[in-house]
Amino acid sequence: MIDSGESDPMMPKPRGVRAGESVPLDPKGALVWSDRIAERLTKNAIRDGDGAAWIGLDPLADGGGWQLVALGYDLYGGAPGIALFLAAHA
């Protein structure tokens, strides 16, 4: 089951689905979205030779905002997670 899309304005909400309601995952729709995500990640990569990096947001230590940083090496929020997604998508 997936969320109805209320939390993400880029995600189209299925017709006739109320906010917060779950709907079955459409496999073809999931493939379309994974293609779009892979395309955007590839387009936004900062390339240097065979390597790539991405810029993300990191919270400031005082909690007063965000700063742009190169993504780190953790799987969840860093470049390895993106690389794993792109490899699985290929």
Side-chain angles (χ1 to χ4, degrees):
M1 302 299 265
I2 60 170
D3 182 55
S4 62
E6 166 103 352
S7 59
D8 184 353
M10 297 294 292
M11 181 71 81
K13 188 168 80 168
R15 290 182 182 183
V17 177
R18 286 180 244 139
E21 185 179 347
S22 294
V23 295
L25 177 63
D26 170 32
K28 289 181 183 179
L31 288 175
V32 169
W33 275 102
S34 67
D35 289 343
R36 293 171 97 178
I37 293 167
E39 182 179 322
R40 181 174 280 186
L41 287 171
T42 301
K43 177 181 159 195
N44 291 334
I46 299 167
R47 299 190 178 274
D48 183 22
D50 290 338
W54 291 267
I55 301 294
L57 292 173
D58 198 32
L60 294 172
D62 65 1
W66 300 85
Q67 63 184 349
L68 294 174
V69 297
L71 293 184
Y73 299 110
D74 61 296
L75 184 62
Y76 178 76
I82 292 175
L84 181 62
F85 169 79
L86 290 173
H89 183 268

